[in-house]
């Protein structure tokens, strides 16, 4: 129970929970819009921003936000004819990855790269948690006000555009909230677990739920449970926190998938035995 009662240990857990709830929800739009690679690219861009901030002696959150907002703007530009937009995202991913490694090498050394990639949440303090809470609440307000437009443009952008919805503007707002969430999350929990929160819970929710309201409940829950269990296991057995939380998340994704498959095959087995 120390992770719940000790303030130093409780802050990282709260950071993981906040990140899981927010990025788990945003992951629904990442899956619906088929921009999983964009999420990975923004995570890499954010890491490069953190590395640049460390090199310049600035607050890492400032560097991360600046790079991510720039990345969102660049990735939102439509590619020229014959060149798919995914190619530009891929180039940005590779460039940001290379730039982050070079900046880390020039600045603080290789030791910080592992923290950025896998997450080192033990250093999270009260100020970090309040920052995350404020940013995530602001993102929640934006999505609450524009939720119908977000869902409509994600499911059927052509029909939404014909009904007067400004799809490009809506997409820009979604990507902006996604970028800000990534920038704030990576500073505290790392690239690996942030990207996992953006992909795994949303995929599980959309696979299991028949209604969007149900998916919105499942996705944050699928992120919340691994956040708590993974953090406890990492503390109990001295394991890397980001990797442990991600592994638990994947395991919880496999369990419902196996149950669904078993439901499909059990009637067939019963019929063959008869």
């Amino acid at each position: 129970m120390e992770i719940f009662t000790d303030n130093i240990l409780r802050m990282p857990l709260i950071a993981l929970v906040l990140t899981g709830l927010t990025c788990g929800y945003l992951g629904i739009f990442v899956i619906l819009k088929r921009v999983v690679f964009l999420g990975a690219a923004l995570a890499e861009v954010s890491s490069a921003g953190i590395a640049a901030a460390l090199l310049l002696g600035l607050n890492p959150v400032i560097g991360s936000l600046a790079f991510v907002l720039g990345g969102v703007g660049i990735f939102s530009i439509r590619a020229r004819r014959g060149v798919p937009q995914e190619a530009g995202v891929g180039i940005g991913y590779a460039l940001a990855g290379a730039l982050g490694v070079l900046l880390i090498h020039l600045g603080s050394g290789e030791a910080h790269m592992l923290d950025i990639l896998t997450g080192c949440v033990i250093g999270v303090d009260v100020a970090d948690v309040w920052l995350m809470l404020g940013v995530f609440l602001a993102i929640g307000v934006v999505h609450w006000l524009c939720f119908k437009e977000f869902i409509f443009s994600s499911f059927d952008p052509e029909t939404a555009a014909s009904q007067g919805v400004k799809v490009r503007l809506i997409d820009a707002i979604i990507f902006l909230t996604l970028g800000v969430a990534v920038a704030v999350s990576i500073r505290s929990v790392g690239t690996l677990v942030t990207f996992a929160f953006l992909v795994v819970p949303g995929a599980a929710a959309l696979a299991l739920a028949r209604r969007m309201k149900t998916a919105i409940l499942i996705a944050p829950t699928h992120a919340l449970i691994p956040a708590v269990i993974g953090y406890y296991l990492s503390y109990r057995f001295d394991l890397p926190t980001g990797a442990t939380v991600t592994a638990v998340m994947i395991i919880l994704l496999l369990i419902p998938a196996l149950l669904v498959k078993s439901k499909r095959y059990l009637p067939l087995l019963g019929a063959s035995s008869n």
Side-chain angles (χ1 to χ4, degrees):
M1 297 300 294
E2 291 180 1
I3 62 174
F4 299 106
T5 57
D6 186 276
N7 192 56
I8 296 177
L9 296 176
R10 188 168 62 243
M11 290 301 107
L13 175 60
I14 295 175
L16 281 170
V17 168
L18 291 176
T19 302
L21 293 175
T22 305
C23 291
Y25 161 75
L26 291 174
I28 292 177
F29 297 97
V30 170
I31 302 299
L32 286 177
K33 288 187 167 295
R34 299 175 176 87
V35 290
V36 173
F37 198 23
L38 175 63
L42 288 177
E44 203 67 35
V45 169
S46 178
S47 297
I50 292 174
L54 292 174
L55 179 62
L56 298 175
L58 301 174
N59 189 317
V61 176
I62 296 176
S64 178
L65 279 174
F67 271 58
V68 164
L69 294 179
V72 169
I74 294 173
F75 295 150
S76 298
I77 298 175
R78 291 191 174 183
R80 293 187 176 183
R81 185 177 301 176
V83 180
Q85 192 171 16
E86 290 79 6
V89 176
I91 294 172
Y93 175 86
L95 176 61
L99 183 62
V101 172
L102 291 174
L103 291 174
I104 286 291
H105 180 74
L106 292 174
S108 344
E110 298 293 336
H112 289 275
M113 180 54 69
L114 183 62
D115 291 343
I116 293 175
L117 292 178
T118 61
C120 184
V121 301
I122 301 302
V124 174
D125 56 21
V126 177
D128 295 325
V129 169
W130 278 112
L131 174 63
M132 297 175 71
L133 182 60
V135 171
F136 292 160
L137 283 176
I139 292 174
V141 170
V142 172
H143 278 257
W144 178 67
L145 293 174
C146 305
F147 181 75
K148 291 183 179 179
E149 291 80 3
F150 287 171
I151 293 295
F152 195 9
S153 65
S154 298
F155 267 112
D156 194 345
E158 290 79 11
T159 304
S162 66
Q163 295 294 322
V165 178
K166 298 180 180 179
V167 175
R168 294 188 64 180
L169 177 61
I170 293 298
D171 287 349
I173 296 175
I174 293 176
F175 293 155
L176 181 62
T177 58
L178 174 63
V180 172
V182 167
V184 174
S185 300
I186 284 179
R187 175 63 185 94
S188 298
V189 303
T191 303
L192 175 63
V193 71
T194 298
F195 179 64
F197 278 140
L198 283 175
V199 177
V200 179
L206 292 174
L208 294 175
R210 296 183 179 180
R211 301 178 60 186
M212 183 53 59
K213 291 182 179 180
T214 307
I216 291 174
L217 294 176
I218 292 177
T221 304
H222 190 90
L224 173 63
I225 296 174
V228 177
I229 296 177
Y231 183 67
Y232 167 75
L233 293 176
S234 68
Y235 172 74
R236 178 68 177 80
F237 299 102
D238 194 23
L239 299 171
T241 305
T244 306
V245 172
T246 303
V248 174
M249 206 182 312
I250 298 297
I251 292 173
L252 291 182
L253 175 65
L254 294 177
I255 292 175
L258 293 175
L259 290 176
V260 171
K261 283 187 174 294
S262 66
K263 288 181 180 179
R264 292 179 180 176
Y265 288 112
L266 281 176
L268 297 177
L269 293 176
S272 62
S273 63
N274 293 330

